[in-house]
Amino acid sequence: MASTGKRVLALARNVSLSVPLQSQQPHYPLIFRGFFSTDPSISITNPLLLKLLQEPTSSVKSVLDSQENGFLCSSRLSLNALVTSLISSSMLKKAQLVLEWKLENMSKKNERDLDFYINLICLCGKLRNSSLAMRVFNVMEFQGVKPTVTAFNSLIEACISSNNMITAFSIFEVMKNSKNFKPNTDTFYYFISAFAKLHDVNSMQAWYSAKKAFEFSPDLRTYEALIHGSVKSNCFDFGVKCFEEMILSDIVPNTIILENMLEGLCKRKNFDEVKKFLNVVLDNGWEIDWNVVEKFIPVWFESGELEGMKEILTKLNKWN
C-alpha cells in the first residue's frame, strides 16, 4: 500500500512537470494595472487616462470638454480602453462620468450610430449600472435609432450584471410580445448563465426549458453554464444529463466543462465513475491539465483505489 502510494505521487509529479507553467505576470497595485495591461487597446502612455486618474471627480467632464481630450475618446476602441481602465482602477464614479459625457455629446450631435449606442450599453454593464444603460437606450430611441434584438439583449445583460433582475424580466416580456425583437438564443443564455452563477438550479432549468420551447438548440456556452450551476448547487444529476445530451449532439466539451464534471463526480466519491469519466476524456483527446488532476487525487487516496489511480496517472503522463 505504501509503495503504491509513493509510485502514484511520483507519477503525479511527472504529470505536473509535463504541463507548461503559465507565464508569471508582474504584480502591480490595482490603480496602475490599466497602464500595464496586456490588452493592446489600452495604451501604457494614455495621457487622458493619466489625467483623469489625477484630477478630482468633479473635474472629469470639464477635462473631457477640451478639444484635445475629447478627441482621445472619440472612437469606440479608445472609449472602451479608457472606461475599462478606470473600472479596473476602481474609479467607478469617474468611469460613469465618462459614459455620461459621451452620451450627452452623442445626444447633442444627434448621433445615429446604433453600434455605438450598443457599445455604451455594454460598458454600462461592465460598470454594473443598469439605470445608465436604460438612459442610453432611451436616448437612442429619442434620436430615432431603431433598436435591434442585440440592443435589447445588451440591455438585459447590463441589468443582470447590475443584479436588476426585475427590469431584465420586464425587457424580456417586451421582446416576447413584440413582432420585430423576439428573444434569440443569446437572450436565454444570459438568464441561464445568471441563475447558474447564483446556484439557483430551479430557475436555471426553467430558462433552459424555455429556450428549448422556443426551439433554440443549446450550444457549448449554455452547457457550460448548466453544468457549472448543477455542480455548485449540488444537483449534479442534471449536470450529468446535460453532459450526455451535449455528447450526443456532437459538441466537444471545453476544459471548464470537464473540470466541473470532474468536481461533481469527486463530490460523489465514486471512484468507478471518476475513472470511467477520465478514460473517456483521455480516449477522446480532450484537453485536461494538472489543475484538474489535483482535484481528484485526494478522493482516490481516501477511496484506497491507488492502483486505479496509478493507471490513470500513467495514462495522463503518456498523453501529456
Side-chain angles (χ1 to χ4, degrees), residues 55-83:
E55 292 287 335
T57 302
S58 58
S59 302
V60 168
K61 289 188 178 181
S62 59
V63 169
L64 293 170
D65 279 334
S66 71
Q67 185 174 357
E68 178 184 358
N69 290 328
F71 175 75
L72 288 174
C73 61
S74 58
S75 69
R76 264 181 283 172
L77 184 64
S78 58
L79 179 67
N80 290 355
L82 179 62
V83 173

Side-chain angles (χ1 to χ4, degrees), residues 191-295:
F191 284 105
I192 292 170
S193 178
F195 286 114
K197 291 174 182 176
L198 292 172
H199 306 166
D200 183 346
V201 71
N202 291 328
S203 297
M204 181 187 75
Q205 289 178 355
W207 281 96
Y208 178 52
S209 297
K211 181 172 186 174
K212 291 196 291 186
F214 273 71
E215 299 184 350
F216 292 121
S217 299
D219 53 11
L220 180 65
R221 62 178 182 168
T222 300
Y223 282 122
E224 181 182 312
L226 290 168
I227 292 171
H228 172 79
S230 299
V231 171
K232 298 305 179 183
S233 59
N234 296 318
C235 293
F236 189 55
D237 286 342
F238 182 71
V240 172
K241 178 182 177 182
C242 289
F243 186 80
E244 293 173 348
E245 183 181 293
M246 178 181 65
I247 301 304
L248 289 174
S249 301
D250 293 324
I251 298 175
V252 177
N254 58 23
T255 303
I256 297 174
I257 289 175
L258 295 178
E259 287 181 358
N260 278 283
M261 286 296 298
L262 194 53
E263 180 181 341
L265 291 169
C266 285
K267 283 183 177 180
R268 288 180 168 179
K269 296 186 177 182
N270 186 320
F271 172 76
D272 289 334
E273 285 187 337
V274 174
K275 183 179 176 181
K276 181 180 178 181
F277 173 76
L278 283 171
N279 275 314
V280 170
V281 170
L282 295 173
D283 289 343
N284 282 282
W286 295 334
E287 290 186 16
I288 192 167
D289 58 31
W290 178 244
N291 291 327
V292 178
V293 177
E294 283 184 323
K295 291 182 179 179

Side-chain angles (χ1 to χ4, degrees), residues 37-50:
S37 173
T38 56
D39 186 343
S41 67
I42 301 177
S43 172
I44 292 175
T45 57
N46 186 333
L48 179 54
L49 175 60
L50 290 170

Side-chain angles (χ1 to χ4, degrees), residues 20-31:
L21 293 174
Q22 293 182 351
S23 58
Q24 296 295 315
Q25 295 293 330
H27 175 73
Y28 299 106
L30 184 62
I31 195 170

